[in-house]
């Protein structure tokens, strides 16, 4: 059970909800119970400014890692009693400190409210039957847009031109996967089934036995067809070979202190000049300066990035201001960390958060509690 004030409305902050997706899920909660503030703009990153902004609130709703909650911030918020999170990864939240401070932390697994039927529509479902995480879909949207020159061609049309270049076919090409977890395997599966791509993969803890098990898990045979080289469907190779041999490298690694910079200058420089680099995972996994240097020099055919070291991107970021695809530079496609920003996912998360807020206001046990 959680204790909370009953005489006055509980101050609640919903952070980083850029598109106000949370509003319909929380709007029915009576103002006499909770004074809800929805913050749509990015919050300051320094602890002192962030503390001043968040100090009044007893309940805070967060969206993924848009605002981290390290120990220093948690210890500077004495009013905070309940931290509502989304998803199931909490690398930027100090759960030990939260527990020490008596702050209840609750996850949102994405299944919707428990007190009503789930919403209709297409769910993530079984990956072997065509279901996929929205990040998988977004990754392929970026790969295809990059390979087919959608962005420069659309810009050409808008400016009075016509075709801007030749598309790169993917049939039979080699797809490199860095991080063969659930998402990496899902992306690889699409490449195999749709275009007969050869998949080579690497991660620090991956071996061929694990890769074979992952192939089975996503409904693929362990051994590839003769057309795909007759080797393993998901062939484990060295990190060096992934970057040296792949026509497209897609990054699907979990960010941690150990994995920061897992893709550095050496790996990027070894890529073929005809290849593509795609990152829909986390910005700090890549040496951003090295990537900027290589793309500025036109040493890759292109890159598609959904994540960055600093998010949202500052207005003066070189990613924004550089004229990509001109004067010998590589083509670059940028999207605003929207791989998971899919209507079903976000609405399910906020529905679960709203249910937990209602339970907390009523003195009931919290669902999906992790601290």
């Amino acid at each position: 059970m959680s204790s909370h004030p009953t005489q006055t409305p509980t101050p609640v902050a919903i952070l980083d909800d850029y598109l106000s997706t949370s509003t319909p899920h929380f709007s029915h909660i009576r103002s006499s119970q909770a004074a809800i503030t929805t913050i749509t703009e990015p919050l300051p990153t320094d602890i002192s400014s962030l503390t001043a902004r968040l100090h009044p609130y007893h309940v805070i709703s967060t969206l993924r890692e848009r605002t981290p909650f390290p120990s220093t911030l948690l210890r500077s918020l004495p009013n905070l009693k309940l931290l509502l999170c989304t998803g199931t990864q909490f690398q930027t939240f100090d759960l030990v400190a939260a527990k020490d401070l008596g702050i209840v932390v609750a996850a949102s697994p994405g299944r919707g409210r428990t007190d009503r039927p789930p919403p209709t529509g297409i769910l993530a479902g079984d990956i072997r039957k065509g279901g996929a995480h929205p990040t998988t879909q977004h990754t392929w949207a970026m790969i295809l847009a990059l390979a087919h020159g959608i962005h420069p061609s659309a810009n050409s049309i808008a400016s009075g031109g016509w075709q801007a270049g030749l598309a790169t076919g993917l049939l039979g090409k080699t797809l490199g996967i860095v991080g063969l977890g659930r998402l990496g395997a899902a992306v690889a599966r699409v490449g195999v089934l749709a275009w007969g791509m050869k998949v080579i993969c690497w991660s620090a803890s991956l071996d061929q036995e694990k890769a074979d098990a992952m192939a089975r898990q996503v409904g693929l045979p362990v051994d590839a067809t003769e057309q795909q080289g007759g080797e393993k469907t998901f062939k484990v190779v060295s990190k060096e070979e992934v970057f040296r041999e792949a026509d497209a490298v897609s990054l699907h690694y979990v960010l941690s202190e150990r994995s920061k910079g897992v893709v550095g200058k050496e790996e990027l420089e070894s890529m073929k000049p005809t290849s593509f680099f795609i990152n829909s995972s986390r910005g700090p996994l890549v040496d951003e300066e090295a990537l900027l240097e290589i793309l500025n020099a036109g040493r890759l055919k292109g890159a598609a990035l959904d994540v960055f070291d600093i998010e949202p991107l500052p207005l003066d970021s070189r990613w924004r201001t550089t004229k990509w695809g001109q004067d010998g530079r590589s083509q670059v496609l940028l999207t605003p960390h929207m791989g998971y920003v899919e209507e079903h996912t976000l609405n399910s998360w906020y529905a679960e958060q709203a249910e937990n807020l209602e339970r907390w206001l009523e003195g009931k046990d919290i669902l999906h509690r992790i601290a």
Side-chain angles (χ1 to χ4, degrees), residues 30 32 89 120 135 194 232 278 289 292 294 306 317 357:
R30 296 193 303 272
S32 60
Q89 294 184 19
T120 58
T135 301
K232 294 291 186 179
I278 301 95
E289 287 298 320
L292 278 163
I294 284 167
D306 187 46
S317 166
L357 176 58

Side-chain angles (χ1 to χ4, degrees), residues 6-251:
T6 56
Q7 292 80 14
T8 58
T10 298
V12 178
I14 300 175
L15 310 186
D16 300 313
D17 183 12
Y18 304 154
L19 304 175
S20 299
T21 310
S22 64
T23 300
H25 300 285
F26 289 84
S27 60
H28 67 281
I29 298 175
R30 296 193 303 272
S31 58
S32 60
Q33 291 181 294
I36 299 176
T37 301
T38 302
I39 300 173
T40 57
E41 73 277 7
L43 288 160
T45 55
D46 64 285
I47 295 297
S48 59
S49 299
L50 196 53
T51 297
R53 185 71 189 273
L54 302 182
H55 190 272
Y57 298 106
H58 293 227
V59 180
I60 293 177
S61 155
T62 68
L63 186 59
R64 293 298 295 256
E65 302 96 344
R66 289 181 179 178
T67 296
F69 277 81
S71 174
T72 49
L73 177 59
L74 291 171
R75 295 183 187 282
S76 67
L77 299 175
N79 294 319
L80 182 59
K81 301 295 184 291
L82 174 63
L83 189 60
L84 299 169
C85 307
T86 54
T88 56
Q89 294 184 19
F90 305 98
Q91 284 86 356
T92 63
F93 293 76
D94 193 324
L95 301 180
V96 174
K99 186 173 182 179
D100 290 344
L101 295 166
I103 299 170
V104 175
V105 182
S108 300
R111 295 188 290 269
R113 296 181 66 111
T114 63
D115 57 353
R116 64 189 65 167
T120 58
I122 300 174
L123 307 183
D126 187 339
I127 201 170
R128 292 167 294 182
K129 298 177 181 179
H133 190 281
T135 301
T136 305
Q137 300 172 51
H138 188 74
T139 299
W140 272 107
M142 291 198 300
I143 295 172
L144 290 171
L146 193 62
H148 284 260
I150 300 297
H151 184 56
S153 292
N155 286 342
S156 179
I157 288 273
S159 61
W162 196 233
Q163 296 178 359
L166 298 175
T168 298
L170 299 176
L171 187 66
K173 291 290 202 305
T174 298
L175 175 63
I177 299 291
V178 178
L180 191 72
R182 180 170 57 99
L183 295 181
V187 168
R189 174 182 181 272
V190 173
V192 170
L193 294 178
W195 294 284
M197 297 184 81
K198 176 183 177 181
V199 175
I200 56 177
C201 47
W202 172 88
S203 74
S205 60
L206 185 65
D207 58 30
Q208 192 59 58
E209 184 178 354
K210 292 178 182 177
D212 290 347
M214 191 60 74
R216 294 190 195 96
Q217 185 175 319
V218 298
L220 294 177
V222 168
D223 297 312
T225 65
E226 289 187 14
Q227 185 180 11
Q228 295 162 320
E231 299 181 280
K232 294 291 186 179
T233 300
F234 294 164
K235 182 182 177 183
V236 177
V237 298
S238 66
K239 181 165 66 166
E240 293 75 18
E241 187 172 344
V242 167
F243 284 88
R244 185 178 67 246
E245 299 298 330
D247 298 295
V249 175
S250 190
L251 183 56

